Structures are given as C-alpha cells and as structure tokens.
Amino acid sequence: MSPLSITRTLPADATTAALRADVSQGLSRTPKQLPPKWFYDARGSELFEEITRLPDYYPTRAEREILLTRADQIAAATNARTLIELGSGSSDKTRHLIGALTGLHSYVPVDVSESALAAAGEALLADHPGLTVHALVADFQQGIELPDTPGPRLLAFLGGTLGNLVPEERAAFLRSVHALLSPGDALLLGTDLVKDEATLVAAYDDPQGVTAAFNKNVLHVINRELGGDFDPADFDHVALWNTEHEWIEMRLRARKELTVKIPDVDLAVTFDAGEELRTEVSAKFRKDGVRAELAAAGMELTNWWTDGAERFALSLSFRA
C-alpha cells in the first residue's frame, strides 16, 4: 500500500454548488454577508500568504512560535500515533508537530483542495519516509469520516480558524470534533486572543493594501465562477472591532449606489451608497471562554500555551 492515499468525500461539483447557495442566500439577506472560505482560490491563497508576512499581522508568527517552543510538551502530553489536521493547506506549521511526535504512525490532513493535499503529502513523505499519509478531500463543516488509524489521536485545528465561526457554528463544530474522538484522544486548538483595538484592526487593515485585495478577491471569485459583474473598484475595504461580540469584522463598503448581476444564480443585487457586505468575522478569545466552549462540547482543557507577548494561544483538551 502506498504511504500516501487521497480519499475524496466531496462530490466533484460540491464547491460550485456551495458557492451558488452561499451567494444566493448571503446577498439576498439584510445585512448582506458571505462566508470567508470564498476568499481562498489560488490567488486568494497567495494573497493570504503575503498577509502572514506583513509586520502588523502577528497570528501566524505567534502560533508558529508556540509550536516551535511547545511541540515536545504537546507530544509528551498526547503520545499521539495519529495526527489529524483540519484545513491543513500546505501542512507547513504541522511539520513542527510531526517532528516532535516520535511515535507517529499516520497523518490525516483534511482540506477541500486535492492539489494542496497531494503536494503537502509528497513533501512530508520526503522528510518522513516512515509516515503514512491518509489525505481527505472534505469540508470539515459538512462532517467527515476518519480512516482507521492507530490511537491515541491528536486532532489539530490551527490558525485561529475557529474564530471565523459565529458562536452557534463554533458549538456545532466542537460537538462534531467530540464525536470524532475516542477517550484518550486530544484536540489542539489555535485561538487568537482579545487585545487592544489598535493592534487588532492594524492586523486586518494594512497600509500596503494587501488585506484589501484579499477581501475584494471574493468578488473576483463570484465573477469568474458565477458570471457576476462586480467591479471591485466600486467597493472599499473596511476592518472594524466589534466590542460586543469581541471579533474583527471585514466588510466591503459600496462607494455608490449600484446593481450587480450574477446570472448563474439569477440574481440582481442592489447596493445603496455606503451599504456594507460582511465577508468575515474573526473572533478573539479569552481563556475562560475557550474552556467553557470546550466543556459544553464534552472536552476538558488541560494545557494552555501562549506566545511570549500573549497574543495567541494553543490549547490542548481531551475528550471528557
């Protein structure tokens, strides 16, 4: 059996069908909104990689710092023989964990991009020839079925992606994680932390305009995939701190009154001048809140690590 296998659980047309549904529903409601996953076509992924290198965008560097300094402790606490990663992408950060998990048998990356999974799997096997990689082409929010691999298992959900889910979605997601795990299995969760508003807003509104281009990329995706006639120049990038919900919101604000036609979903969308389309929320967390959300899903938080500046946290929890 090959050390790299790729299983597709998403139908070939699932991505287009999901985009059509999200655009039809999200642009027909008041206020208008779209989920952030539609930023990430090939161009959007390149822009995000550029964002992670910007001086004010700290989350990626902070999380990597924790992984570098705490990987051995994570390995000792879990003794994981299988590592599962949701939204694995290039599997870049996970390499630190794989190197520390000396008893690791299997790696199960889960992502919607088959090409990203194949490239990451081949690169990992070049460095870790004894590893078995079971890649899953799947949307973790739609439910996944894990391959039969040895335990204990460590499920990693990194990058602060949990914050892109609103509270009801987070609760459902954490319940689904609990259902995937067996007693003795663990969840490694990355969460960006609440901090001063200026630092947070600067991370999502860089003067170079990279985040603005990333935000507007969703309009290019709709134009290409659904025949839309958005002109990104008609919209301004907006990033603001929502104090009530303790999350950053990214929005696109119409510069003038306009109508956009999206023929593939038979939609004509009108915008008033100044009207905003919400494209992302990025919730920030406190330790007690993370502990409570995990407990509500049947998980017990056992370890909490932050970077030196206490901007970002990795938490380890076990199925209770």
Side-chain angles (χ1 to χ4, degrees), residues 27-49:
L27 297 185
S28 299
R29 62 182 296 172
T30 303
K32 298 177 176 67
Q33 64 183 59
L34 290 170
K37 64 182 178 181
W38 302 118
F39 293 138
Y40 294 95
D41 63 352
R43 177 57 179 152
S45 296
E46 290 173 0
L47 286 166
F48 183 72
E49 286 301 313

Side-chain angles (χ1 to χ4, degrees), residues 29 60 90 106 140 180 269 288:
R29 62 182 296 172
T60 303
S90 65
S106 299
F140 61 80
L180 285 173
V269 186
D288 287 347

Side-chain angles (χ1 to χ4, degrees), residues 16 22 61 70 78 95 98 124 146 160 162 194 210 227 274 280 292 296:
T16 301
D22 285 342
R61 288 189 298 275
R70 303 296 186 176
T78 61
R95 291 173 177 272
I98 290 172
L124 281 170
L146 295 174
L162 184 73
V194 173
V210 183
E280 181 180 75

Side-chain angles (χ1 to χ4, degrees), residues 25 35 55 61-62 81 100 108 162 179 202 243 262 264 284 288 298 314 316:
Q25 296 165 17
R61 288 189 298 275
R81 299 202 65 215
V108 183
L162 184 73
T243 304
I262 310 173
D264 285 15
K284 310 306 170 186
D288 287 347
L314 284 182
L316 188 67

Side-chain angles (χ1 to χ4, degrees), residues 41-166:
D41 63 352
R43 177 57 179 152
S45 296
E46 290 173 0
L47 286 166
F48 183 72
E49 286 301 313
E50 192 173 342
I51 287 169
T52 65
R53 296 189 290 270
L54 293 171
D56 288 325
Y57 192 81
Y58 60 85
T60 303
R61 288 189 298 275
E63 185 177 52
R64 184 175 286 112
E65 176 190 323
I66 304 168
L67 285 168
L68 283 168
T69 57
R70 303 296 186 176
D72 289 343
Q73 294 177 40
I74 295 167
T78 61
N79 295 308
R81 299 202 65 215
T82 294
L83 174 63
I84 305 154
E85 184 179 11
L86 303 183
S88 55
S90 65
S91 300
D92 178 55
K93 287 179 289 190
T94 329
R95 291 173 177 272
H96 307 308
L97 279 177
I98 290 172
L101 291 165
T102 55
L104 191 66
H105 176 278
S106 299
Y107 174 51
V108 183
V110 182
D111 202 276
V112 296
S113 171
E114 185 168 350
S115 60
L117 288 168
E122 290 167 2
L124 281 170
L125 287 172
D127 294 333
H128 303 278
L131 191 64
T132 299
V133 179
H134 299 277
L136 299 181
V137 184
D139 182 345
F140 61 80
Q141 282 192 266
Q142 303 302 317
I144 59 173
E145 186 171 335
L146 295 174
D148 185 16
T149 57
R153 295 178 299 175
L154 172 61
L155 189 150
F157 191 44
L158 304 175
T161 309
L162 184 73
N164 294 145
L165 308 178
V166 298

